[in-house]
Amino acid sequence: MTSSAANHVPAHRIEGLERILALLDAARRIVLTTHVNADGDAVGSEVALALWLAARGKHVRIANPTPFPEPFAYLVPDRALLVDAGDARDAVEQADLVVVLDTGEPKRIGRIFPLVDGRPLALLDHHPESQPAIPADAVVRDPTACATGELIFDLLRLAVGDEAWPAGVAEAIYAAIVTDTGSFRFSNTTPRAHAIAAELLRRGVDPEEAYRRIYGTVPLRRIRLLRAALERLEVDERLPITWITVPRKLMEECGATGEDLDGLVEHARSIEGTEVALLFRETVEGGTKVSLRSNGRVDVNAIARQFGGGGHVKASGILLGAPLEEATARVLEATRRAVASLEAPPANG
Ligand SMILES: [Mn+2]
């Protein structure tokens, strides 16, 4: 039995996917990359594609702008697939093709961008197109895909149909989809997301094992950070806005890294009545990283864009050069404007 809803690749993706398959076919050395602070979708997509290409005899490496996130290291059967920061230039220069996953924005691939500029490049992403965009020879960009992992699934579907995949591919795509849909809770959880998950289970994924790997084990520092961060949770006096600020000092006290903050903003968003939740984090460089989450009525992508950031309507991010306190004040002000305009009664009402 096959899951036909999963295996029917949406028609509008086929031309782009076929162009990417042709580029992959022609290339011998391939480098995969993704956005800074890679998440489960970013690295799940990379690992799935890397394992599949390696099994087809390609020389393939993953070279990311920031270190590979440790919680997803279990997906990588061979650390030799990963290129260290210092070797990224050599890897990219020797590649006949670069594949960018889960972003189309030049600055989101950080220090990898100047290396890939002008090289043969394929791009698979499920974010809305950004300006400027990474120039690519073949693109599949589809915000209706629940995750970039869905596009990798389609690529393999188109390439090999019902054939078996190399070990680890299904697990990596599953990790991509589970994490980007918030375990099938967020609004990008489509019928097809579930259908693909069913097909991945049919291909051998153990959902309990996947859950245990992804969410079931937490380092103590993460719980310490959670406790300290929740103590700093604030609720606006007039508007349904909640936020958490995390100074560098607090991160250091807990021995925490950026990835230990993943999901923290969901605690703020989950508070009854909240329209917008924000997480402000002081970076090592003294700037501020902002995560914005909406419960649906406010477009946080529009707020993020005012500060040079972006993302999705319900989930966006900003990286500001300003110190924590100033950045918090500025972004909160813009958020208050957006939320207040939502609550304003009609002019003639
Ligand atoms: Mn994604």
Side-chain angles (χ1 to χ4, degrees), residues 35 39-42 45 101-103 125-127 145-149 176 179-180 188 312:
H35 54 80
D39 56 12
D41 184 27
S45 299
L101 298 163
D102 202 39
T103 185
D125 185 25
H126 70 128
H127 296 89
C146 69
T148 298
T179 54
D180 246 30
N188 57 341
H312 302 284

PDB file of all heavy atoms in Angstrom, residues 35 39-42 45 101-103 125-127 145-149 176 179-180 188 312, ligand 1:
ATOM      1  N   HIS A  35      20.418  28.220   6.398  1.00  0.00           N
ATOM      2  CA  HIS A  35      20.485  29.487   7.129  1.00  0.00           C
ATOM      3  C   HIS A  35      21.260  29.376   8.454  1.00  0.00           C
ATOM      4  O   HIS A  35      21.470  28.278   8.966  1.00  0.00           O
ATOM      5  CB  HIS A  35      19.072  30.026   7.401  1.00  0.00           C
ATOM      6  CG  HIS A  35      18.151  29.061   8.087  1.00  0.00           C
ATOM      7  ND1 HIS A  35      18.185  28.836   9.447  1.00  0.00           N
ATOM      8  CD2 HIS A  35      17.177  28.263   7.599  1.00  0.00           C
ATOM      9  CE1 HIS A  35      17.258  27.959   9.768  1.00  0.00           C
ATOM     10  NE2 HIS A  35      16.639  27.584   8.663  1.00  0.00           N
ATOM     11  N   ASP A  39      17.718  25.001  11.997  1.00  0.00           N
ATOM     12  CA  ASP A  39      16.714  24.305  12.823  1.00  0.00           C
ATOM     13  C   ASP A  39      16.525  22.881  12.297  1.00  0.00           C
ATOM     14  O   ASP A  39      17.252  22.432  11.404  1.00  0.00           O
ATOM     15  CB  ASP A  39      15.408  25.113  12.826  1.00  0.00           C
ATOM     16  CG  ASP A  39      14.887  25.378  11.415  1.00  0.00           C
ATOM     17  OD1 ASP A  39      15.400  24.750  10.456  1.00  0.00           O
ATOM     18  OD2 ASP A  39      13.979  26.212  11.262  1.00  0.00           O
ATOM     19  N   GLY A  40      15.533  22.198  12.838  1.00  0.00           N
ATOM     20  CA  GLY A  40      15.300  20.805  12.462  1.00  0.00           C
ATOM     21  C   GLY A  40      14.966  20.637  10.983  1.00  0.00           C
ATOM     22  O   GLY A  40      15.384  19.659  10.353  1.00  0.00           O
ATOM     23  N   ASP A  41      14.211  21.585  10.432  1.00  0.00           N
ATOM     24  CA  ASP A  41      13.859  21.498   9.013  1.00  0.00           C
ATOM     25  C   ASP A  41      15.105  21.691   8.146  1.00  0.00           C
ATOM     26  O   ASP A  41      15.339  20.960   7.187  1.00  0.00           O
ATOM     27  CB  ASP A  41      12.796  22.560   8.687  1.00  0.00           C
ATOM     28  CG  ASP A  41      12.299  22.462   7.248  1.00  0.00           C
ATOM     29  OD1 ASP A  41      12.352  21.357   6.671  1.00  0.00           O
ATOM     30  OD2 ASP A  41      11.844  23.488   6.715  1.00  0.00           O
ATOM     31  N   ALA A  42      15.899  22.693   8.517  1.00  0.00           N
ATOM     32  CA  ALA A  42      17.105  23.001   7.745  1.00  0.00           C
ATOM     33  C   ALA A  42      18.050  21.794   7.706  1.00  0.00           C
ATOM     34  O   ALA A  42      18.471  21.356   6.637  1.00  0.00           O
ATOM     35  CB  ALA A  42      17.814  24.220   8.349  1.00  0.00           C
ATOM     36  N   SER A  45      16.468  18.472   6.162  1.00  0.00           N
ATOM     37  CA  SER A  45      16.476  18.532   4.695  1.00  0.00           C
ATOM     38  C   SER A  45      17.882  18.288   4.152  1.00  0.00           C
ATOM     39  O   SER A  45      18.071  17.562   3.176  1.00  0.00           O
ATOM     40  CB  SER A  45      15.975  19.908   4.231  1.00  0.00           C
ATOM     41  OG  SER A  45      14.645  20.119   4.664  1.00  0.00           O
ATOM     42  N   LEU A 101      19.167  25.442   1.158  1.00  0.00           N
ATOM     43  CA  LEU A 101      17.912  24.894   1.671  1.00  0.00           C
ATOM     44  C   LEU A 101      17.302  25.768   2.763  1.00  0.00           C
ATOM     45  O   LEU A 101      18.019  26.305   3.617  1.00  0.00           O
ATOM     46  CB  LEU A 101      18.162  23.491   2.235  1.00  0.00           C
ATOM     47  CG  LEU A 101      18.655  22.468   1.204  1.00  0.00           C
ATOM     48  CD1 LEU A 101      19.272  21.262   1.892  1.00  0.00           C
ATOM     49  CD2 LEU A 101      17.537  22.048   0.281  1.00  0.00           C
ATOM     50  N   ASP A 102      15.988  25.915   2.733  1.00  0.00           N
ATOM     51  CA  ASP A 102      15.204  26.536   3.805  1.00  0.00           C
ATOM     52  C   ASP A 102      15.428  28.039   3.975  1.00  0.00           C
ATOM     53  O   ASP A 102      15.059  28.602   4.999  1.00  0.00           O
ATOM     54  CB  ASP A 102      15.444  25.798   5.141  1.00  0.00           C
ATOM     55  CG  ASP A 102      14.312  26.031   6.137  1.00  0.00           C
ATOM     56  OD1 ASP A 102      13.144  26.066   5.713  1.00  0.00           O
ATOM     57  OD2 ASP A 102      14.606  26.194   7.334  1.00  0.00           O
ATOM     58  N   THR A 103      16.014  28.686   2.998  1.00  0.00           N
ATOM     59  CA  THR A 103      16.069  30.147   2.965  1.00  0.00           C
ATOM     60  C   THR A 103      16.409  30.585   1.548  1.00  0.00           C
ATOM     61  O   THR A 103      17.010  29.818   0.799  1.00  0.00           O
ATOM     62  CB  THR A 103      17.099  30.736   3.938  1.00  0.00           C
ATOM     63  OG1 THR A 103      16.984  32.171   3.908  1.00  0.00           O
ATOM     64  CG2 THR A 103      18.527  30.369   3.557  1.00  0.00           C
ATOM     65  N   ASP A 125      13.065  26.030  -0.942  1.00  0.00           N
ATOM     66  CA  ASP A 125      12.680  26.828   0.224  1.00  0.00           C
ATOM     67  C   ASP A 125      11.162  26.921   0.315  1.00  0.00           C
ATOM     68  O   ASP A 125      10.470  26.844  -0.693  1.00  0.00           O
ATOM     69  CB  ASP A 125      13.297  28.231   0.100  1.00  0.00           C
ATOM     70  CG  ASP A 125      13.047  29.097   1.322  1.00  0.00           C
ATOM     71  OD1 ASP A 125      12.838  28.540   2.423  1.00  0.00           O
ATOM     72  OD2 ASP A 125      13.067  30.338   1.179  1.00  0.00           O
ATOM     73  N   HIS A 126      10.665  27.117   1.537  1.00  0.00           N
ATOM     74  CA  HIS A 126       9.215  27.286   1.703  1.00  0.00           C
ATOM     75  C   HIS A 126       8.878  28.617   2.355  1.00  0.00           C
ATOM     76  O   HIS A 126       7.793  28.775   2.915  1.00  0.00           O
ATOM     77  CB  HIS A 126       8.612  26.111   2.479  1.00  0.00           C
ATOM     78  CG  HIS A 126       8.980  26.072   3.929  1.00  0.00           C
ATOM     79  ND1 HIS A 126       8.048  25.968   4.938  1.00  0.00           N
ATOM     80  CD2 HIS A 126      10.182  26.145   4.539  1.00  0.00           C
ATOM     81  CE1 HIS A 126       8.665  25.963   6.099  1.00  0.00           C
ATOM     82  NE2 HIS A 126       9.959  26.063   5.893  1.00  0.00           N
ATOM     83  N   HIS A 127       9.826  29.572   2.293  1.00  0.00           N
ATOM     84  CA  HIS A 127       9.541  30.925   2.778  1.00  0.00           C
ATOM     85  C   HIS A 127       9.125  31.816   1.611  1.00  0.00           C
ATOM     86  O   HIS A 127       9.507  31.550   0.478  1.00  0.00           O
ATOM     87  CB  HIS A 127      10.780  31.517   3.455  1.00  0.00           C
ATOM     88  CG  HIS A 127      11.193  30.761   4.679  1.00  0.00           C
ATOM     89  ND1 HIS A 127      12.061  29.701   4.634  1.00  0.00           N
ATOM     90  CD2 HIS A 127      10.822  30.891   5.971  1.00  0.00           C
ATOM     91  CE1 HIS A 127      12.224  29.217   5.855  1.00  0.00           C
ATOM     92  NE2 HIS A 127      11.481  29.914   6.687  1.00  0.00           N
ATOM     93  N   ALA A 145       4.269  24.619   1.117  1.00  0.00           N
ATOM     94  CA  ALA A 145       4.897  23.402   1.663  1.00  0.00           C
ATOM     95  C   ALA A 145       5.042  23.581   3.165  1.00  0.00           C
ATOM     96  O   ALA A 145       5.447  24.643   3.636  1.00  0.00           O
ATOM     97  CB  ALA A 145       6.264  23.179   1.022  1.00  0.00           C
ATOM     98  N   CYS A 146       4.737  22.535   3.933  1.00  0.00           N
ATOM     99  CA  CYS A 146       4.784  22.667   5.401  1.00  0.00           C
ATOM    100  C   CYS A 146       6.214  22.865   5.884  1.00  0.00           C
ATOM    101  O   CYS A 146       6.442  23.449   6.941  1.00  0.00           O
ATOM    102  CB  CYS A 146       4.164  21.446   6.063  1.00  0.00           C
ATOM    103  SG  CYS A 146       5.107  19.917   5.873  1.00  0.00           S
ATOM    104  N   ALA A 147       7.177  22.379   5.112  1.00  0.00           N
ATOM    105  CA  ALA A 147       8.589  22.448   5.502  1.00  0.00           C
ATOM    106  C   ALA A 147       9.417  22.267   4.241  1.00  0.00           C
ATOM    107  O   ALA A 147       8.918  21.758   3.228  1.00  0.00           O
ATOM    108  CB  ALA A 147       8.919  21.339   6.501  1.00  0.00           C
ATOM    109  N   THR A 148      10.690  22.654   4.308  1.00  0.00           N
ATOM    110  CA  THR A 148      11.580  22.348   3.190  1.00  0.00           C
ATOM    111  C   THR A 148      11.693  20.831   3.031  1.00  0.00           C
ATOM    112  O   THR A 148      11.829  20.323   1.921  1.00  0.00           O
ATOM    113  CB  THR A 148      12.952  23.006   3.412  1.00  0.00           C
ATOM    114  OG1 THR A 148      12.753  24.431   3.469  1.00  0.00           O
ATOM    115  CG2 THR A 148      13.909  22.698   2.275  1.00  0.00           C
ATOM    116  N   GLY A 149      11.564  20.116   4.158  1.00  0.00           N
ATOM    117  CA  GLY A 149      11.586  18.659   4.112  1.00  0.00           C
ATOM    118  C   GLY A 149      10.521  18.079   3.184  1.00  0.00           C
ATOM    119  O   GLY A 149      10.729  17.031   2.566  1.00  0.00           O
ATOM    120  N   ALA A 176      12.494  16.962   9.938  1.00  0.00           N
ATOM    121  CA  ALA A 176      12.254  18.280   9.320  1.00  0.00           C
ATOM    122  C   ALA A 176      10.788  18.669   9.466  1.00  0.00           C
ATOM    123  O   ALA A 176      10.456  19.787   9.875  1.00  0.00           O
ATOM    124  CB  ALA A 176      12.653  18.246   7.839  1.00  0.00           C
ATOM    125  N   THR A 179       9.475  19.059  13.297  1.00  0.00           N
ATOM    126  CA  THR A 179       9.913  20.272  13.986  1.00  0.00           C
ATOM    127  C   THR A 179       9.280  21.519  13.381  1.00  0.00           C
ATOM    128  O   THR A 179       8.841  22.407  14.092  1.00  0.00           O
ATOM    129  CB  THR A 179      11.447  20.403  13.998  1.00  0.00           C
ATOM    130  OG1 THR A 179      11.934  20.305  12.656  1.00  0.00           O
ATOM    131  CG2 THR A 179      12.081  19.307  14.842  1.00  0.00           C
ATOM    132  N   ASP A 180       9.198  21.591  12.032  1.00  0.00           N
ATOM    133  CA  ASP A 180       8.668  22.822  11.425  1.00  0.00           C
ATOM    134  C   ASP A 180       7.160  22.971  11.597  1.00  0.00           C
ATOM    135  O   ASP A 180       6.642  24.083  11.513  1.00  0.00           O
ATOM    136  CB  ASP A 180       9.048  22.911   9.942  1.00  0.00           C
ATOM    137  CG  ASP A 180      10.011  24.079   9.680  1.00  0.00           C
ATOM    138  OD1 ASP A 180      10.790  24.404  10.600  1.00  0.00           O
ATOM    139  OD2 ASP A 180       9.977  24.663   8.581  1.00  0.00           O
ATOM    140  N   ASN A 188       0.754  25.404   9.450  1.00  0.00           N
ATOM    141  CA  ASN A 188       1.307  24.796   8.224  1.00  0.00           C
ATOM    142  C   ASN A 188       1.117  23.274   8.223  1.00  0.00           C
ATOM    143  O   ASN A 188       1.613  22.592   7.335  1.00  0.00           O
ATOM    144  CB  ASN A 188       2.796  25.157   8.058  1.00  0.00           C
ATOM    145  CG  ASN A 188       3.644  24.741   9.252  1.00  0.00           C
ATOM    146  OD1 ASN A 188       3.125  24.512  10.340  1.00  0.00           O
ATOM    147  ND2 ASN A 188       4.939  24.643   9.057  1.00  0.00           N
ATOM    148  N   HIS A 312       7.639  34.420   8.266  1.00  0.00           N
ATOM    149  CA  HIS A 312       6.260  34.076   7.925  1.00  0.00           C
ATOM    150  C   HIS A 312       5.303  35.035   8.652  1.00  0.00           C
ATOM    151  O   HIS A 312       5.706  35.756   9.559  1.00  0.00           O
ATOM    152  CB  HIS A 312       5.932  32.652   8.359  1.00  0.00           C
ATOM    153  CG  HIS A 312       6.827  31.612   7.753  1.00  0.00           C
ATOM    154  ND1 HIS A 312       6.700  31.198   6.454  1.00  0.00           N
ATOM    155  CD2 HIS A 312       7.861  30.909   8.258  1.00  0.00           C
ATOM    156  CE1 HIS A 312       7.607  30.265   6.196  1.00  0.00           C
ATOM    157  NE2 HIS A 312       8.331  30.077   7.281  1.00  0.00           N
TER     158      HIS A 312
HETATM  159 MN    MN B   1      11.611  25.513   7.392  1.00  0.00          MN
END
